[in-house]
């Protein structure tokens, strides 16, 4: 499960420890941006490889079909 802090507590923490909060937020935002960029690049690369190569498509079909069935 995903657990979020209540907005009022997050706001209070930001007001109390402003510099630490902003630094932690910057690190988290940067890490999320890097993760999204890596997944976009990998997804486009694999999509092109699978689209161009019949062997890669046959090899990856069972794996991709299994991934579709996984819950998020």
């Amino acid at each position: 499960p995903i657990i979020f802090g209540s907005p009022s507590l997050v706001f209070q923490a930001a007001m109390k420890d402003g510099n630490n909060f902003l630094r932690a937020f910057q690190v988290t935002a940067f890490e999320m941006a890097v993760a999204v960029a890596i997944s976009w690049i990998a997804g486009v690369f694999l999509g092109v490889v699978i689209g161009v190569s019949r062997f890669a498509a046959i090899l990856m079909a069972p794996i991709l079909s299994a991934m579709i069935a996984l819950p998020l």
Side-chain angles (χ1 to χ4, degrees):
I2 298 174
I3 301 171
F4 293 105
S6 71
S8 63
L9 291 177
V10 172
F11 183 74
Q12 287 175 2
M15 292 297 111
K16 182 180 175 188
D17 297 323
N19 289 335
N20 286 340
F21 182 86
L22 286 178
R23 180 66 186 139
F25 183 78
Q26 288 174 340
V27 169
T28 301
F30 175 75
E31 290 173 347
M32 290 174 58
V34 169
V36 168
I38 290 170
S39 58
W40 281 349
I41 292 168
V44 169
F45 175 75
L46 286 176
V48 169
V49 168
I50 290 170
V52 170
S53 169
R54 180 154 172 77
F55 176 73
I58 291 170
L59 185 69
M60 294 298 292
I63 296 169
L64 294 173
S65 294
M67 288 177 69
I68 289 171
L70 293 174
L72 293 177

Short mmCIF file of all heavy atoms in Angstrom, two decimals:
data_model
loop_
_atom_site.label_atom_id
_atom_site.label_comp_id
_atom_site.label_asym_id
_atom_site.label_seq_id
_atom_site.Cartn_x
_atom_site.Cartn_y
_atom_site.Cartn_z
N PRO A 1 0.82 -1.20 0.00
CA PRO A 1 0.00 0.00 0.00
C PRO A 1 0.86 1.26 0.00
O PRO A 1 1.96 1.27 0.54
CB PRO A 1 -0.81 -0.12 1.28
CG PRO A 1 -0.02 -1.03 2.17
CD PRO A 1 0.74 -1.94 1.26
N ILE A 2 0.34 2.27 -0.57
CA ILE A 2 1.03 3.55 -0.61
C ILE A 2 0.52 4.38 0.57
O ILE A 2 -0.68 4.53 0.76
CB ILE A 2 0.77 4.28 -1.93
CG1 ILE A 2 1.31 3.45 -3.08
CG2 ILE A 2 1.41 5.66 -1.92
CD1 ILE A 2 0.98 4.02 -4.43
N ILE A 3 1.45 4.91 1.36
CA ILE A 3 1.08 5.67 2.54
C ILE A 3 1.52 7.11 2.36
O ILE A 3 2.68 7.38 2.09
CB ILE A 3 1.72 5.06 3.80
CG1 ILE A 3 1.28 3.60 3.97
CG2 ILE A 3 1.39 5.88 5.03
CD1 ILE A 3 2.02 2.86 5.05
N PHE A 4 0.59 8.02 2.48
CA PHE A 4 0.86 9.44 2.38
C PHE A 4 0.62 10.10 3.74
O PHE A 4 -0.29 9.72 4.46
CB PHE A 4 -0.06 10.12 1.35
CG PHE A 4 0.20 9.68 -0.06
CD1 PHE A 4 -0.67 8.81 -0.69
CD2 PHE A 4 1.30 10.14 -0.76
CE1 PHE A 4 -0.44 8.41 -1.99
CE2 PHE A 4 1.54 9.75 -2.05
CZ PHE A 4 0.67 8.88 -2.67
N GLY A 5 1.43 11.10 4.05
CA GLY A 5 1.18 11.89 5.25
C GLY A 5 0.04 12.85 4.98
O GLY A 5 -0.23 13.22 3.85
N SER A 6 -0.62 13.25 6.04
CA SER A 6 -1.72 14.20 5.85
C SER A 6 -1.14 15.54 5.37
O SER A 6 -0.05 15.93 5.79
CB SER A 6 -2.50 14.39 7.14
OG SER A 6 -1.72 15.11 8.07
N PRO A 7 -1.84 16.23 4.48
CA PRO A 7 -1.33 17.50 3.96
C PRO A 7 -1.02 18.52 5.05
O PRO A 7 -0.03 19.26 4.95
CB PRO A 7 -2.46 17.99 3.06
CG PRO A 7 -3.16 16.75 2.63
CD PRO A 7 -3.07 15.83 3.80
N SER A 8 -1.81 18.54 6.10
CA SER A 8 -1.55 19.52 7.17
C SER A 8 -0.24 19.21 7.89
O SER A 8 0.52 20.12 8.23
CB SER A 8 -2.71 19.55 8.16
OG SER A 8 -2.85 18.29 8.79
N LEU A 9 0.07 17.93 8.11
CA LEU A 9 1.33 17.56 8.75
C LEU A 9 2.52 17.84 7.84
O LEU A 9 3.58 18.26 8.31
CB LEU A 9 1.31 16.09 9.17
CG LEU A 9 0.36 15.73 10.30
CD1 LEU A 9 0.39 14.22 10.56
CD2 LEU A 9 0.71 16.50 11.56
N VAL A 10 2.34 17.61 6.55
CA VAL A 10 3.42 17.92 5.60
C VAL A 10 3.68 19.42 5.59
O VAL A 10 4.83 19.87 5.60
CB VAL A 10 3.05 17.41 4.19
CG1 VAL A 10 4.06 17.89 3.16
CG2 VAL A 10 2.98 15.88 4.18
N PHE A 11 2.63 20.20 5.60
CA PHE A 11 2.77 21.66 5.61
C PHE A 11 3.46 22.13 6.90
O PHE A 11 4.34 22.99 6.86
CB PHE A 11 1.40 22.33 5.44
CG PHE A 11 1.47 23.82 5.39
CD1 PHE A 11 1.95 24.46 4.26
CD2 PHE A 11 1.08 24.59 6.47
CE1 PHE A 11 2.03 25.84 4.19
CE2 PHE A 11 1.15 25.97 6.42
CZ PHE A 11 1.62 26.60 5.27
N GLN A 12 3.06 21.55 8.02
CA GLN A 12 3.69 21.91 9.30
C GLN A 12 5.18 21.56 9.29
O GLN A 12 6.01 22.33 9.78
CB GLN A 12 3.00 21.19 10.45
CG GLN A 12 1.64 21.74 10.79
CD GLN A 12 0.94 20.93 11.87
OE1 GLN A 12 1.49 19.98 12.40
NE2 GLN A 12 -0.30 21.31 12.18
N ALA A 13 5.53 20.40 8.74
CA ALA A 13 6.94 20.01 8.66
C ALA A 13 7.71 20.96 7.76
O ALA A 13 8.86 21.32 8.06
CB ALA A 13 7.05 18.58 8.14
N ALA A 14 7.09 21.40 6.68
CA ALA A 14 7.75 22.34 5.77
C ALA A 14 7.98 23.67 6.45
O ALA A 14 9.02 24.31 6.25
CB ALA A 14 6.90 22.52 4.51
N MET A 15 7.05 24.11 7.26
CA MET A 15 7.20 25.38 7.96
C MET A 15 8.23 25.29 9.09
O MET A 15 8.98 26.22 9.35
CB MET A 15 5.85 25.85 8.54
CG MET A 15 4.83 26.23 7.50
SD MET A 15 5.37 27.65 6.54
CE MET A 15 5.67 26.92 4.95
N LYS A 16 8.28 24.14 9.75
CA LYS A 16 9.18 23.96 10.89
C LYS A 16 10.63 23.79 10.43
O LYS A 16 11.53 24.44 10.95
CB LYS A 16 8.74 22.74 11.70
CG LYS A 16 9.59 22.48 12.92
CD LYS A 16 9.10 21.27 13.68
CE LYS A 16 10.02 20.95 14.83
NZ LYS A 16 9.68 19.67 15.45
N ASP A 17 10.86 22.91 9.49
CA ASP A 17 12.21 22.60 9.01
C ASP A 17 12.31 22.91 7.52
O ASP A 17 12.53 22.02 6.70
CB ASP A 17 12.55 21.13 9.24
CG ASP A 17 12.57 20.75 10.69
OD1 ASP A 17 13.01 21.59 11.49
OD2 ASP A 17 12.16 19.62 11.02
N GLY A 18 12.14 24.15 7.17
CA GLY A 18 12.06 24.57 5.78
C GLY A 18 13.21 24.12 4.91
O GLY A 18 13.01 23.54 3.85
N ASN A 19 14.45 24.38 5.34
CA ASN A 19 15.60 24.02 4.51
C ASN A 19 15.76 22.52 4.33
O ASN A 19 16.00 22.05 3.22
CB ASN A 19 16.89 24.62 5.10
CG ASN A 19 16.93 26.12 4.94
OD1 ASN A 19 16.30 26.69 4.05
ND2 ASN A 19 17.68 26.78 5.82
N ASN A 20 15.61 21.78 5.42
CA ASN A 20 15.70 20.32 5.32
C ASN A 20 14.58 19.76 4.46
O ASN A 20 14.80 18.85 3.65
CB ASN A 20 15.65 19.68 6.71
CG ASN A 20 16.93 19.86 7.47
OD1 ASN A 20 17.98 20.11 6.89
ND2 ASN A 20 16.84 19.74 8.78
N PHE A 21 13.39 20.30 4.63
CA PHE A 21 12.25 19.83 3.85
C PHE A 21 12.47 20.09 2.36
O PHE A 21 12.26 19.21 1.53
CB PHE A 21 10.97 20.52 4.34
CG PHE A 21 9.74 20.05 3.63
CD1 PHE A 21 9.06 18.93 4.06
CD2 PHE A 21 9.25 20.74 2.53
CE1 PHE A 21 7.93 18.49 3.41
CE2 PHE A 21 8.12 20.31 1.87
CZ PHE A 21 7.45 19.18 2.32
N LEU A 22 12.91 21.30 2.02
CA LEU A 22 13.13 21.63 0.61
C LEU A 22 14.25 20.79 0.01
O LEU A 22 14.13 20.35 -1.14
CB LEU A 22 13.45 23.12 0.46
CG LEU A 22 12.26 24.06 0.63
CD1 LEU A 22 12.71 25.51 0.51
CD2 LEU A 22 11.19 23.76 -0.41
N ARG A 23 15.30 20.56 0.76
CA ARG A 23 16.39 19.73 0.25
C ARG A 23 15.92 18.30 0.01
O ARG A 23 16.23 17.70 -1.02
CB ARG A 23 17.57 19.75 1.23
CG ARG A 23 18.74 18.93 0.78
CD ARG A 23 19.37 19.53 -0.47
NE ARG A 23 20.40 18.62 -0.94
CZ ARG A 23 20.61 18.32 -2.19
NH1 ARG A 23 19.91 18.91 -3.14
NH2 ARG A 23 21.54 17.48 -2.53
N ALA A 24 15.17 17.74 0.94
CA ALA A 24 14.64 16.39 0.78
C ALA A 24 13.68 16.33 -0.41
O ALA A 24 13.69 15.37 -1.18
CB ALA A 24 13.94 15.94 2.05
N PHE A 25 12.89 17.38 -0.58
CA PHE A 25 11.96 17.43 -1.71
C PHE A 25 12.72 17.49 -3.03
O PHE A 25 12.35 16.82 -4.00
CB PHE A 25 11.03 18.64 -1.58
CG PHE A 25 10.00 18.72 -2.66
CD1 PHE A 25 8.88 17.93 -2.62
CD2 PHE A 25 10.18 19.59 -3.73
CE1 PHE A 25 7.93 17.99 -3.63
CE2 PHE A 25 9.25 19.66 -4.75
CZ PHE A 25 8.12 18.86 -4.69
N GLN A 26 13.80 18.27 -3.08
CA GLN A 26 14.61 18.36 -4.29
C GLN A 26 15.24 17.02 -4.65
O GLN A 26 15.24 16.62 -5.81
CB GLN A 26 15.71 19.41 -4.12
CG GLN A 26 15.21 20.83 -4.13
CD GLN A 26 16.32 21.83 -3.80
OE1 GLN A 26 17.33 21.48 -3.21
NE2 GLN A 26 16.10 23.08 -4.17
N VAL A 27 15.76 16.33 -3.65
CA VAL A 27 16.37 15.02 -3.89
C VAL A 27 15.32 14.04 -4.41
O VAL A 27 15.55 13.32 -5.39
CB VAL A 27 17.04 14.49 -2.61
CG1 VAL A 27 17.45 13.03 -2.75
CG2 VAL A 27 18.24 15.34 -2.24
N THR A 28 14.16 14.03 -3.78
CA THR A 28 13.09 13.12 -4.20
C THR A 28 12.62 13.44 -5.61
O THR A 28 12.44 12.53 -6.44
CB THR A 28 11.91 13.19 -3.21
OG1 THR A 28 12.38 12.84 -1.91
CG2 THR A 28 10.79 12.25 -3.62
N ALA A 29 12.43 14.71 -5.93
CA ALA A 29 11.98 15.10 -7.27
C ALA A 29 13.03 14.71 -8.31
O ALA A 29 12.68 14.21 -9.40
CB ALA A 29 11.71 16.59 -7.31
N PHE A 30 14.31 14.91 -8.00
CA PHE A 30 15.37 14.54 -8.93
C PHE A 30 15.38 13.03 -9.16
O PHE A 30 15.48 12.57 -10.31
CB PHE A 30 16.73 15.00 -8.40
CG PHE A 30 17.88 14.55 -9.24
CD1 PHE A 30 18.14 15.17 -10.45
CD2 PHE A 30 18.69 13.50 -8.83
CE1 PHE A 30 19.20 14.75 -11.25
CE2 PHE A 30 19.75 13.08 -9.62
CZ PHE A 30 20.00 13.71 -10.83
N GLU A 31 15.27 12.24 -8.10
CA GLU A 31 15.27 10.79 -8.23
C GLU A 31 14.08 10.31 -9.05
O GLU A 31 14.20 9.38 -9.86
CB GLU A 31 15.26 10.12 -6.85
CG GLU A 31 16.57 10.29 -6.11
CD GLU A 31 16.53 9.79 -4.69
OE1 GLU A 31 15.41 9.52 -4.17
OE2 GLU A 31 17.60 9.66 -4.08
N MET A 32 12.93 10.94 -8.85
CA MET A 32 11.75 10.56 -9.64
C MET A 32 11.95 10.91 -11.11
O MET A 32 11.58 10.12 -11.99
CB MET A 32 10.51 11.25 -9.08
CG MET A 32 10.07 10.70 -7.74
SD MET A 32 8.70 11.61 -6.97
CE MET A 32 7.44 11.49 -8.19
N ALA A 33 12.53 12.07 -11.40
CA ALA A 33 12.77 12.47 -12.79
C ALA A 33 13.75 11.52 -13.47
O ALA A 33 13.55 11.13 -14.63
CB ALA A 33 13.28 13.90 -12.83
N VAL A 34 14.79 11.11 -12.76
CA VAL A 34 15.76 10.17 -13.32
C VAL A 34 15.10 8.82 -13.59
O VAL A 34 15.31 8.21 -14.65
CB VAL A 34 16.98 10.02 -12.39
CG1 VAL A 34 17.87 8.86 -12.82
CG2 VAL A 34 17.78 11.30 -12.35
N ALA A 35 14.28 8.35 -12.66
CA ALA A 35 13.59 7.07 -12.85
C ALA A 35 12.65 7.11 -14.05
O ALA A 35 12.59 6.16 -14.83
CB ALA A 35 12.81 6.71 -11.58
N VAL A 36 11.92 8.21 -14.21
CA VAL A 36 11.02 8.34 -15.35
C VAL A 36 11.81 8.38 -16.66
O VAL A 36 11.45 7.73 -17.64
CB VAL A 36 10.12 9.60 -15.20
CG1 VAL A 36 9.40 9.91 -16.50
CG2 VAL A 36 9.12 9.38 -14.08
N ALA A 37 12.91 9.12 -16.67
CA ALA A 37 13.74 9.20 -17.88
C ALA A 37 14.30 7.83 -18.26
O ALA A 37 14.28 7.45 -19.44
CB ALA A 37 14.86 10.21 -17.68
N ILE A 38 14.79 7.09 -17.27
CA ILE A 38 15.34 5.76 -17.54
C ILE A 38 14.25 4.83 -18.09
O ILE A 38 14.48 4.10 -19.06
CB ILE A 38 15.97 5.16 -16.26
CG1 ILE A 38 17.26 5.91 -15.92
CG2 ILE A 38 16.25 3.67 -16.42
CD1 ILE A 38 17.84 5.56 -14.56
N SER A 39 13.07 4.87 -17.50
CA SER A 39 12.00 3.99 -17.97
C SER A 39 11.52 4.38 -19.36
O SER A 39 11.21 3.51 -20.18
CB SER A 39 10.85 3.95 -16.98
OG SER A 39 10.32 5.22 -16.76
N TRP A 40 11.47 5.68 -19.67
CA TRP A 40 11.10 6.10 -21.03
C TRP A 40 12.12 5.61 -22.04
O TRP A 40 11.76 5.05 -23.08
CB TRP A 40 11.00 7.62 -21.12
CG TRP A 40 9.75 8.21 -20.59
CD1 TRP A 40 8.61 7.58 -20.21
CD2 TRP A 40 9.51 9.61 -20.36
NE1 TRP A 40 7.69 8.48 -19.76
CE2 TRP A 40 8.21 9.73 -19.85
CE3 TRP A 40 10.28 10.74 -20.54
CZ2 TRP A 40 7.66 10.96 -19.52
CZ3 TRP A 40 9.73 11.97 -20.21
CH2 TRP A 40 8.44 12.07 -19.71
N ILE A 41 13.38 5.84 -21.76
CA ILE A 41 14.45 5.44 -22.70
C ILE A 41 14.44 3.93 -22.89
O ILE A 41 14.50 3.43 -24.02
CB ILE A 41 15.82 5.94 -22.20
CG1 ILE A 41 15.86 7.47 -22.30
CG2 ILE A 41 16.95 5.32 -22.99
CD1 ILE A 41 17.03 8.11 -21.57
N ALA A 42 14.36 3.18 -21.79
CA ALA A 42 14.35 1.72 -21.90
C ALA A 42 13.11 1.22 -22.64
O ALA A 42 13.20 0.31 -23.47
CB ALA A 42 14.41 1.09 -20.50
N GLY A 43 11.96 1.83 -22.37
CA GLY A 43 10.73 1.42 -23.04
C GLY A 43 10.75 1.68 -24.53
O GLY A 43 10.37 0.82 -25.34
N VAL A 44 11.23 2.84 -24.92
CA VAL A 44 11.33 3.17 -26.35
C VAL A 44 12.34 2.25 -27.03
O VAL A 44 12.10 1.71 -28.11
CB VAL A 44 11.68 4.65 -26.56
CG1 VAL A 44 12.04 4.93 -28.01
CG2 VAL A 44 10.52 5.53 -26.12
N PHE A 45 13.48 2.05 -26.38
CA PHE A 45 14.51 1.18 -26.95
C PHE A 45 13.98 -0.24 -27.15
O PHE A 45 14.12 -0.83 -28.23
CB PHE A 45 15.75 1.16 -26.05
CG PHE A 45 16.81 0.21 -26.52
CD1 PHE A 45 17.60 0.52 -27.61
CD2 PHE A 45 17.01 -1.00 -25.87
CE1 PHE A 45 18.58 -0.37 -28.05
CE2 PHE A 45 17.97 -1.89 -26.30
CZ PHE A 45 18.76 -1.58 -27.39
N LEU A 46 13.36 -0.81 -26.11
CA LEU A 46 12.82 -2.17 -26.23
C LEU A 46 11.70 -2.23 -27.25
O LEU A 46 11.59 -3.21 -28.00
CB LEU A 46 12.33 -2.67 -24.87
CG LEU A 46 13.42 -3.06 -23.89
CD1 LEU A 46 12.81 -3.44 -22.54
CD2 LEU A 46 14.24 -4.21 -24.43
N GLY A 47 10.88 -1.21 -27.32
CA GLY A 47 9.81 -1.18 -28.32
C GLY A 47 10.35 -1.18 -29.74
O GLY A 47 9.83 -1.90 -30.61
N VAL A 48 11.39 -0.41 -29.98
CA VAL A 48 12.01 -0.38 -31.31
C VAL A 48 12.64 -1.73 -31.63
O VAL A 48 12.47 -2.27 -32.74
CB VAL A 48 13.05 0.76 -31.41
CG1 VAL A 48 13.88 0.64 -32.66
CG2 VAL A 48 12.35 2.11 -31.35
N VAL A 49 13.37 -2.30 -30.67
CA VAL A 49 14.02 -3.59 -30.90
C VAL A 49 12.98 -4.67 -31.19
O VAL A 49 13.14 -5.47 -32.13
CB VAL A 49 14.90 -3.99 -29.70
CG1 VAL A 49 15.36 -5.43 -29.78
CG2 VAL A 49 16.10 -3.06 -29.60
N ILE A 50 11.92 -4.71 -30.42
CA ILE A 50 10.87 -5.71 -30.62
C ILE A 50 10.15 -5.47 -31.94
O ILE A 50 9.79 -6.41 -32.65
CB ILE A 50 9.89 -5.71 -29.43
CG1 ILE A 50 10.59 -6.27 -28.19
CG2 ILE A 50 8.65 -6.52 -29.73
CD1 ILE A 50 9.81 -6.10 -26.90
N GLY A 51 9.96 -4.21 -32.31
CA GLY A 51 9.29 -3.91 -33.57
C GLY A 51 10.11 -4.23 -34.79
O GLY A 51 9.58 -4.57 -35.84
N VAL A 52 11.43 -4.15 -34.67
CA VAL A 52 12.31 -4.38 -35.82
C VAL A 52 12.68 -5.86 -35.96
O VAL A 52 12.80 -6.38 -37.06
CB VAL A 52 13.58 -3.51 -35.69
CG1 VAL A 52 14.63 -3.89 -36.70
CG2 VAL A 52 13.23 -2.05 -35.81
N SER A 53 12.89 -6.53 -34.85
CA SER A 53 13.40 -7.91 -34.86
C SER A 53 12.29 -8.90 -34.55
O SER A 53 11.69 -8.88 -33.47
CB SER A 53 14.51 -8.04 -33.81
OG SER A 53 14.86 -9.39 -33.63
N ARG A 54 12.05 -9.80 -35.49
CA ARG A 54 11.05 -10.84 -35.27
C ARG A 54 11.50 -11.77 -34.14
O ARG A 54 10.69 -12.20 -33.32
CB ARG A 54 10.81 -11.62 -36.55
CG ARG A 54 9.79 -12.71 -36.41
CD ARG A 54 9.12 -13.03 -37.73
NE ARG A 54 8.28 -14.20 -37.67
CZ ARG A 54 7.07 -14.24 -37.12
NH1 ARG A 54 6.58 -13.13 -36.57
NH2 ARG A 54 6.35 -15.33 -37.11
N PHE A 55 12.79 -12.09 -34.09
CA PHE A 55 13.30 -12.95 -33.04
C PHE A 55 13.08 -12.34 -31.66
O PHE A 55 12.65 -13.01 -30.72
CB PHE A 55 14.81 -13.22 -33.25
CG PHE A 55 15.43 -14.03 -32.16
CD1 PHE A 55 15.16 -15.38 -32.04
CD2 PHE A 55 16.27 -13.43 -31.23
CE1 PHE A 55 15.72 -16.13 -31.01
CE2 PHE A 55 16.83 -14.17 -30.21
CZ PHE A 55 16.56 -15.52 -30.10
N ALA A 56 13.36 -11.04 -31.53
CA ALA A 56 13.14 -10.36 -30.25
C ALA A 56 11.66 -10.35 -29.88
O ALA A 56 11.31 -10.51 -28.71
CB ALA A 56 13.68 -8.93 -30.31
N ALA A 57 10.79 -10.18 -30.87
CA ALA A 57 9.35 -10.20 -30.61
C ALA A 57 8.90 -11.56 -30.10
O ALA A 57 8.12 -11.66 -29.13
CB ALA A 57 8.58 -9.81 -31.87
N ILE A 58 9.39 -12.63 -30.73
CA ILE A 58 9.04 -13.98 -30.29
C ILE A 58 9.60 -14.26 -28.90
O ILE A 58 8.94 -14.86 -28.06
CB ILE A 58 9.55 -15.02 -31.32
CG1 ILE A 58 8.75 -14.89 -32.63
CG2 ILE A 58 9.45 -16.43 -30.77
CD1 ILE A 58 9.31 -15.69 -33.78
N LEU A 59 10.82 -13.80 -28.67
CA LEU A 59 11.47 -14.02 -27.38
C LEU A 59 10.77 -13.26 -26.25
O LEU A 59 10.61 -13.78 -25.15
CB LEU A 59 12.94 -13.58 -27.47
CG LEU A 59 13.82 -13.84 -26.26
CD1 LEU A 59 14.04 -15.34 -26.08
CD2 LEU A 59 15.15 -13.12 -26.43
N MET A 60 10.36 -12.04 -26.51
CA MET A 60 9.78 -11.19 -25.47
C MET A 60 8.27 -11.34 -25.30
O MET A 60 7.72 -10.88 -24.30
CB MET A 60 10.11 -9.73 -25.76
CG MET A 60 11.58 -9.39 -25.67
SD MET A 60 12.27 -9.65 -24.04
CE MET A 60 11.46 -8.38 -23.13
N ALA A 61 7.58 -11.96 -26.24
CA ALA A 61 6.11 -12.06 -26.18
C ALA A 61 5.62 -12.70 -24.87
O ALA A 61 4.72 -12.15 -24.23
CB ALA A 61 5.58 -12.81 -27.39
N PRO A 62 6.16 -13.84 -24.44
CA PRO A 62 5.67 -14.42 -23.18
C PRO A 62 5.94 -13.52 -21.96
O PRO A 62 5.10 -13.43 -21.05
CB PRO A 62 6.44 -15.74 -23.05
CG PRO A 62 7.01 -16.02 -24.38
CD PRO A 62 7.14 -14.72 -25.08
N ILE A 63 7.08 -12.87 -21.95
CA ILE A 63 7.42 -12.00 -20.83
C ILE A 63 6.48 -10.80 -20.78
O ILE A 63 5.95 -10.45 -19.72
CB ILE A 63 8.88 -11.55 -20.93
CG1 ILE A 63 9.81 -12.76 -20.82
CG2 ILE A 63 9.22 -10.51 -19.86
CD1 ILE A 63 11.24 -12.49 -21.16
N LEU A 64 6.25 -10.18 -21.93
CA LEU A 64 5.34 -9.02 -21.97
C LEU A 64 3.91 -9.43 -21.65
O LEU A 64 3.19 -8.69 -20.97
CB LEU A 64 5.43 -8.34 -23.33
CG LEU A 64 6.78 -7.69 -23.64
CD1 LEU A 64 6.81 -7.19 -25.07
CD2 LEU A 64 7.08 -6.58 -22.67
N SER A 65 3.49 -10.59 -22.11
CA SER A 65 2.13 -11.07 -21.80
C SER A 65 1.98 -11.32 -20.30
O SER A 65 0.94 -11.01 -19.72
CB SER A 65 1.83 -12.36 -22.56
OG SER A 65 1.78 -12.11 -23.94
N ALA A 66 3.01 -11.87 -19.68
CA ALA A 66 2.97 -12.10 -18.23
C ALA A 66 2.94 -10.78 -17.48
O ALA A 66 2.26 -10.66 -16.45
CB ALA A 66 4.16 -12.94 -17.80
N MET A 67 3.67 -9.77 -17.96
CA MET A 67 3.70 -8.47 -17.28
C MET A 67 2.35 -7.77 -17.35
O MET A 67 1.98 -7.04 -16.42
CB MET A 67 4.80 -7.59 -17.88
CG MET A 67 6.19 -8.05 -17.50
SD MET A 67 7.48 -7.08 -18.26
CE MET A 67 7.27 -5.53 -17.41
N ILE A 68 1.61 -7.99 -18.42
CA ILE A 68 0.29 -7.36 -18.54
C ILE A 68 -0.64 -7.89 -17.45
O ILE A 68 -1.47 -7.16 -16.92
CB ILE A 68 -0.31 -7.64 -19.95
CG1 ILE A 68 0.47 -6.83 -20.99
CG2 ILE A 68 -1.79 -7.29 -19.99
CD1 ILE A 68 0.11 -7.17 -22.42
N ALA A 69 -0.46 -9.17 -17.08
CA ALA A 69 -1.33 -9.77 -16.08
C ALA A 69 -1.00 -9.36 -14.65
O ALA A 69 -1.80 -9.61 -13.74
CB ALA A 69 -1.25 -11.29 -16.21
N LEU A 70 0.17 -8.76 -14.43
CA LEU A 70 0.56 -8.36 -13.08
C LEU A 70 -0.24 -7.15 -12.60
O LEU A 70 -0.40 -6.18 -13.35
CB LEU A 70 2.05 -8.01 -13.02
CG LEU A 70 3.02 -9.17 -13.24
CD1 LEU A 70 4.44 -8.64 -13.31
CD2 LEU A 70 2.89 -10.19 -12.13
N PRO A 71 -0.73 -7.18 -11.38
CA PRO A 71 -1.40 -5.99 -10.85
C PRO A 71 -0.40 -4.89 -10.54
O PRO A 71 0.76 -5.17 -10.24
CB PRO A 71 -2.07 -6.50 -9.58
CG PRO A 71 -1.25 -7.69 -9.18
CD PRO A 71 -0.71 -8.28 -10.45
N LEU A 72 -0.85 -3.67 -10.61
CA LEU A 72 0.05 -2.54 -10.33
C LEU A 72 0.23 -2.33 -8.86
O LEU A 72 -0.48 -2.41 -8.02
CB LEU A 72 -0.47 -1.27 -10.97
CG LEU A 72 -0.45 -1.29 -12.49
CD1 LEU A 72 -1.07 -0.01 -13.03
CD2 LEU A 72 0.97 -1.40 -13.00
#
